[in-house]
Amino acid sequence: MIDIAIMGHGVVGSGVAEIIYNHSKRVSEKAKEDIRIKYILDLRDFEGLPYSDKFTKDFNKIVNDPDVKIVVEVMGGCTFAYDYVKACLLAGKSVCTSNKELVAAKGAELLDIALEKNVNFLFEASVGGGTPVLRPMAQCLTANEITEVTGILNGTTNFILTKMIEDNMSFEDALKLAQDLGYAEKDPTADIEGHDACRKICILASLGFGKHVYPEQVKTEGITNVSLDDVEYANGFGCVIKLVGRTRKLDNGKITANVYPALVSKDHMLSGVSDVFNAIMVRGDEVGDVMFYGRGAGKFPTASAVVGDVIDCAKHLASRKYLHWNEGEADYVASSDNDIARFYVRLKTNDSNKTVKEIESKFSNTSYIVNADKDEVAMLTENDIEITLKNQIGSLDSCEVIKTFHVID
Amino acid sequence: MIDIAIMGHGVVGSGVAEIIYNHSKRVSEKAKEDIRIKYILDLRDFEGLPYSDKFTKDFNKIVNDPDVKIVVEVMGGCTFAYDYVKACLLAGKSVCTSNKELVAAKGAELLDIALEKNVNFLFEASVGGGTPVLRPMAQCLTANEITEVTGILNGTTNFILTKMIEDNMSFEDALKLAQDLGYAEKDPTADIEGHDACRKICILASLGFGKHVYPEQVKTEGITNVSLDDVEYANGFGCVIKLVGRTRKLDNGKITANVYPALVSKDHMLSGVSDVFNAIMVRGDEVGDVMFYGRGAGKFPTASAVVGDVIDCAKHLASRKYLHWNEGEADYVASSDNDIARFYVRLKTNDSNKTVKEIESKFSNTSYIVNADKDEVAMLTENDIEITLKNQIGSLDSCEVIKTFHVID
């Protein structure tokens, strides 16, 4: 019998409790031990549940109870969650969390404490919801040097973009629909401005490359600048627009890490990832590209990943698991200026013939779409050094650059 | 320092040796121990390699050497490989293999021996090549009840079908090209008749549902009956033809397991899996659908998965890992007659108007394509009980049924 505590009884927390209660036989069989919820920490009261007697408002009960071996943190945020998780690890308890904000900000520190205390700190649910990605990266791909991770990491923005692409819905209407369906928060900032995707690419980069990447090191651009016109131009170029997080290892030991809207070629597997689904493409030097795809959020998908971690902890109470990375460094994340890139550029022009001529003279192998109705030209560059392309784009003088997005093909 | 032996120095075996030699620092860091190749078993001589001194033709050297803790089996086949793997496990050595034929035929027995001897028997590379799928299923999705696995499991046939779909190449020409490129064997039977995919769906079903499924229990149909006409009809229905392995849990505790060519809707993620890539879609009751995608074969992708297993074994020499399933049963795999299905049916007719009328009278919600040039009608049924649909199809009397494929949407 292993006693656990769940801190937080929101969407994911209630899902964790329900899975453990409703499927106790399955969970115990997999863990080879009975798993019992001893406490659920929440400031609110929840009456009439089969486990209403487990609720407590007192964190000290949990941290001071030597019977509690595993603590689930599903409160979210980085203040109380950080203090409580740290205290639990220091008290020799393993912790499982779905809290990407916490892991992205404090992962290295908490993993160090876990290592020191010989307990586990697991967070499979923090990236991709129920989609397995962190454990396979750390375990199955371990013979590889990871060189790149590119993912559609946020279900809310992917839903909005899918509605724009497939139903020609405006950004505002699609956001409203996402809110009505419960996919987007009342304050959607963290999703649409890319902060959520940023946290996830931090976790993926930290795990993939072994050194902590902090959210403030990641240049992050959301989708508020994506319009239906861009969606249409993208379609003309055989692409769809997706919000991607991307991190790459450079030859000099540094990495790049970015979140931005990008035109993804319809030939690329990531282009087929629609609605609230997520997908993470991992490149290894031996294996090439592998992709993990599934629901990026939702009560039971996410909760099932947390319970998977709990089961793993239960089976490894005596022996540490594999997850670890080192503290980050101030200059570890480099600008992507010297990386290879390809751009979509949207140009306003009074003289499209002249602009087309200028494009053809300054770029090789571009494709472009002339939109006479709007006095616009949209173009795709070829692949080149990012700063070279940016300089070329900056040198265009027959037109005004309206926007520039990366292209992934 | 952990001594290992590699049995077999073919494509995958040489890849394993090269990764361990060329990336010894990486492998040792991940394993937290130096991994040293002590023996390579092969009947042939390999001179001029940096590890030519490791070769032996004598299996007894390996099995009788107490220093060898981990044995890699990459010989293939089910005769010597079975004897040697069994002997190694019985001798208390952990075994890692990429040999799907062996695991599909003898998995339960070998896992039992591993359990008894408290060693590991790992075979991540046996399904999906370098693509992580077995470990994530067993570990990350452990809080789920798996209800279905559907996958594109064979790279060779997927390459052939891709050439037929994208380049309008005949089956024969595409097979020839696959052979020229080294994707298909001189004798391509195991691939094109579906035997290879069959072994993989056996392994996935065994792991997913906990009871061994043997190849002879799986109704297996290859791609030799797929023609360019079918590819064209499929396109008309918004589908592509893929060779899929599919296994589903039934309410009565039995399962279905099949390998067949199927029309896959272009809206389905599996439809985008082209060339030699594989993808495995796993459905869990909590998480919904997750998909694992990557190169299904190839020297280094497959070898990297084997080395990943070696590293995992090295970290778990003292403690057993998680993989296990029980022996199978004769009547465990049921016909899919009572499962839900949807069919593509290709009909020869002298009177297409009459046939269309008959279709409309006997089926609801069909779509069909009339091909006057060929005196053919192609149709898609709706989803219904498989045997009901088969009876309806069998009752058509204005035409002759040329072929019937499943539809996945």
Side-chain angles (χ1 to χ4, degrees), chain B residues 270-339:
Chain B
L270 287 177
S271 71
V273 178
S274 299
D275 295 320
V276 295
F277 281 84
N278 284 194
I280 295 108
M281 183 81 78
V282 181
R283 183 167 293 170
D285 63 344
E286 307 290 350
V287 78
D289 288 338
V290 301
M291 192 178 87
F292 306 94
Y293 164 92
R295 265 168 226 283
K299 175 174 175 168
F300 288 112
T302 308
S304 77
V306 176
V307 177
D309 278 353
V310 170
I311 292 170
D312 211 6
C313 277
K315 292 163 83 173
H316 289 87
L317 279 185
S319 63
R320 282 259 316 153
K321 293 281 294 177
Y322 40 84
L323 282 179
H324 196 258
W325 62 69
N326 297 322
E327 280 291 346
E329 283 167 35
D331 62 346
Y332 172 52
V333 180
S335 135
S336 53
D337 275 353
N338 294 308
D339 205 357

Side-chain angles (χ1 to χ4, degrees), chain A residues 80 88 91 164 182 196 207 228 300-301:
Chain A
F80 290 111
C88 288
M164 292 173 72
D196 176 77
L207 181 65
L228 281 177
F300 288 113

Side-chain angles (χ1 to χ4, degrees), chain A residues 9-149:
Chain A
H9 194 259
V11 174
V12 178
S14 59
V16 170
E18 284 170 45
I19 290 177
I20 292 177
Y21 258 82
N22 298 337
H23 301 297
S24 60
K25 185 160 166 279
R26 180 197 304 177
V27 171
S28 301
E29 274 176 12
K30 299 284 183 73
K32 319 250 184 242
E33 284 260 22
D34 283 345
I35 304 268
R36 185 178 63 175
I37 300 172
K38 190 159 181 186
Y39 305 104
I40 302 175
L41 181 72
D42 205 294
L43 293 180
R44 297 164 295 179
D45 291 308
F46 292 89
E47 284 171 23
L49 294 176
Y51 40 84
S52 284
D53 59 315
K54 311 294 182 193
F55 280 86
T56 175
K57 296 182 173 65
D58 182 6
F59 169 69
N60 289 318
K61 267 195 181 170
I62 294 170
V63 74
N64 293 329
D65 187 335
D67 288 345
V68 174
K69 302 292 183 203
I70 303 167
V71 177
V72 171
E73 185 279 300
V74 278
M75 305 157 62
C78 217
T79 49
F80 290 111
Y82 170 61
D83 293 340
Y84 290 0
V85 166
K86 191 171 169 177
C88 288
L89 292 170
L90 285 169
K93 302 176 193 309
S94 287
V95 175
C96 309
T97 183
S98 61
N99 186 339
K100 52 221 160 221
E101 193 179 347
L102 176 66
V103 180
K106 304 288 184 183
E109 181 192 346
L110 296 170
L111 285 166
D112 268 346
I113 299 173
L115 179 63
E116 189 195 313
K117 293 290 172 182
N118 199 35
V119 293
N120 287 303
F121 178 50
L122 300 181
F123 38 86
E124 182 63 61
S126 67
V127 180
T131 312
V133 55
L134 301 182
R135 193 178 272 102
M137 268 179 75
Q139 291 199 285
C140 302
L141 303 180
T142 184
N144 286 268
E145 180 178 330
I146 307 288
T147 57
E148 175 176 335
V149 182

